[in-house]
Amino acid sequence: MASSPAPRRIGERATLADVAALAGVSTSTASLAFRTAGSITDRTRARVLHAARELDYAGPNPTARSLKRGKSGIVGVIVAEQVRFAFMNPVTIATMDGLSEVLDELNCGQLLLPGRAEPGASGPNIADMPLDGIVFVTRGEELERLLPSLRARRIPMVGIEGPHYDDVSLVEIDDYAAMRLVAEHVHGLGHERVGVVMRTTRPAVTAEPGPVRLIGEVTGTVTNRTIGERLRAVVGLWPRAAVVEAGGRLADAGEAAAQRLLSLEPRPTAILAQNDQLASGVLRAAARRGLRVPEDLTVTGFDGAELPWLDRELTTVAQPLHERGRLAGRMIGQLMAGAHPANVVIPVSLREGETAGPPPAE
C-alpha cells in the first residue's frame, strides 16, 4: 500500500523519495521510471509517473545525476571565430552537420562555443565548463591557449585541421598534396603570373587585407600549418607569386584582397584562393573590373563547399566536409569511451569547374 510522502514546507520542491513513497515503490525503482531503459514494468512506470504529476515533480535533477556519474553528457564544439561567422561559413556548417549526426547517435548534448581564451575576455570560461569532450571544428591559433587548462582536466580533444599536438586527435587532409593538385592544374594550363589570396591567420577579426608580398617572403613566417602547407605547394611552382592575406574568411575579404592583386602591373593571369568563399570574392572583383573568367583570369578555390549563389562551378579542391564531421564525432566518442583512435587523413580530389583556363594571349 502506498504511503503518504512527508509534508513539505511552502516553496519546498518534491523529491524522488516523495514520489516513491506516494507510488508505493522504492526510490531506486522510482528512478528507473524516468530512464529510457531499465527493468521496470509498464504498470509500475505509469504509477510512478502519475505520482510525479500529483506532486509536480519534473524528474531527477540532471546536474546531480551528472555529478553522480562523473559525466555531463555534453561535448563542447568550439569554433575559432564568433559564432555568427561560423553560421555564415558553408564549410563549418557542413562539418558541424556531420558532427551533430554522430553526437546525436551517441546521445551527447552539444554546446557550441567561440574559442575565447584571452585574459579578461567576456563570456564563460570554457575550461571551467562541465564538458566530457572537446571538438575543435575550425582552426585558429588562439584556440591553442585553451589547451593547458583542458589538459589539466584530462578532457578528450579532437581537432579538425588542428591544433597539431600529440594529445589532440586529428581529422585532417594533406594540405600540401591537396593544394598541389590545383596548383599543378593551373601550371599545366600555362600560367606564369600567379597571385594567391591567403586565408587570414586571424579568423576572429575582420580587417583590411594585408600588403602584396612575394610568396617566398611569406611561406616561412606563417605558423598556421594549414595555411603554410598550402603556400608551400605553390611556391615550388611559382617562386615569385604575389600573396595578399585576406582580412577575413568570407567573400568580401576575398574581393578586397583580389583588388590589390589585380592592381599589379602586369596583373596576375590566375589567382589561387585558399578557400571557396575567398574565391567567390575574387570572382566578384574580376567582374567589377570587367574581366572575364576564365578567358581573362583563372580563379580557383579550396574545400568544395556548396556556394549556391555562384552562377558557375568553381574549379577547386573538394574535401568530404560532412564526412569529416562524422569522423570527428566517432573519434570523440571513442576517446570518451577510453579508446585511443589513430589520427585520420581524409582523401581529396580536384574538381575541374568552369573558372580555370589558359592565360590570355599577350
Side-chain angles (χ1 to χ4, degrees), residues 70-132:
K71 293 183 179 296
S72 67
I74 299 173
V75 171
V77 179
I78 301 181
V79 294
E81 61 271 287
Q82 296 177 31
V83 170
R84 67 186 179 93
F85 287 128
F87 285 105
M88 296 168 65
N89 188 334
V91 173
T92 307
I93 291 171
T95 303
M96 289 197 300
D97 186 46
L99 173 63
S100 294
E101 283 183 3
V102 175
L103 293 181
D104 284 346
E105 293 167 6
L106 297 173
N107 292 319
C108 288
Q110 303 158 56
L111 185 61
L112 181 61
L113 300 162
R116 301 185 186 96
E118 302 84 355
S122 61
N125 187 340
I126 293 172
D128 294 336
M129 292 183 176
L131 303 173
D132 293 341

Side-chain angles (χ1 to χ4, degrees), residues 37-197:
S39 54
I40 182 175
T41 66
D42 291 341
R43 184 176 180 180
T44 301
R45 186 188 303 275
R47 193 162 76 246
V48 171
L49 295 179
H50 176 76
R53 288 192 296 272
E54 288 289 314
L55 296 173
D56 196 24
Y57 176 74
N61 186 300
T63 302
R65 188 163 52 192
S66 65
L67 288 172
K68 184 176 181 180
R69 293 181 313 184
K71 293 183 179 296
S72 67
I74 299 173
V75 171
V77 179
I78 301 181
V79 294
E81 61 271 287
Q82 296 177 31
V83 170
R84 67 186 179 93
F85 287 128
F87 285 105
M88 296 168 65
N89 188 334
V91 173
T92 307
I93 291 171
T95 303
M96 289 197 300
D97 186 46
L99 173 63
S100 294
E101 283 183 3
V102 175
L103 293 181
D104 284 346
E105 293 167 6
L106 297 173
N107 292 319
C108 288
Q110 303 158 56
L111 185 61
L112 181 61
L113 300 162
R116 301 185 186 96
E118 302 84 355
S122 61
N125 187 340
I126 293 172
D128 294 336
M129 292 183 176
L131 303 173
D132 293 341
I134 291 285
V135 177
F136 296 103
V137 171
T138 56
R139 174 78 164 89
E141 278 68 26
E142 68 272 24
L143 297 183
E144 297 182 10
R145 295 197 289 271
L146 295 170
L147 296 180
S149 55
L150 295 174
R151 285 183 183 125
R153 292 177 53 196
R154 299 184 180 180
I155 295 178
M157 294 180 283
V158 170
I160 298 175
E161 292 189 7
H164 291 84
Y165 291 94
D166 290 343
D167 55 354
V168 180
S169 297
L170 288 174
V171 177
E172 59 181 343
I173 63 173
D174 183 334
D175 281 285
Y176 175 86
M179 191 69 193
R180 193 76 179 192
L181 284 175
V182 73
E184 288 181 344
H185 177 65
V186 173
H187 190 267
L189 292 171
H191 291 273
E192 296 179 357
R193 297 196 307 273
V194 170
V196 176
V197 174

Side-chain angles (χ1 to χ4, degrees), residues 15 27 29 49 66 92 115 130-131 144 188 213 232 236 283 287 314 339:
T15 67
T27 303
T29 298
L49 295 179
S66 65
T92 307
L131 303 173
E144 297 182 10
R213 300 172 65 189
R232 195 167 67 84
L283 292 174
L314 184 66

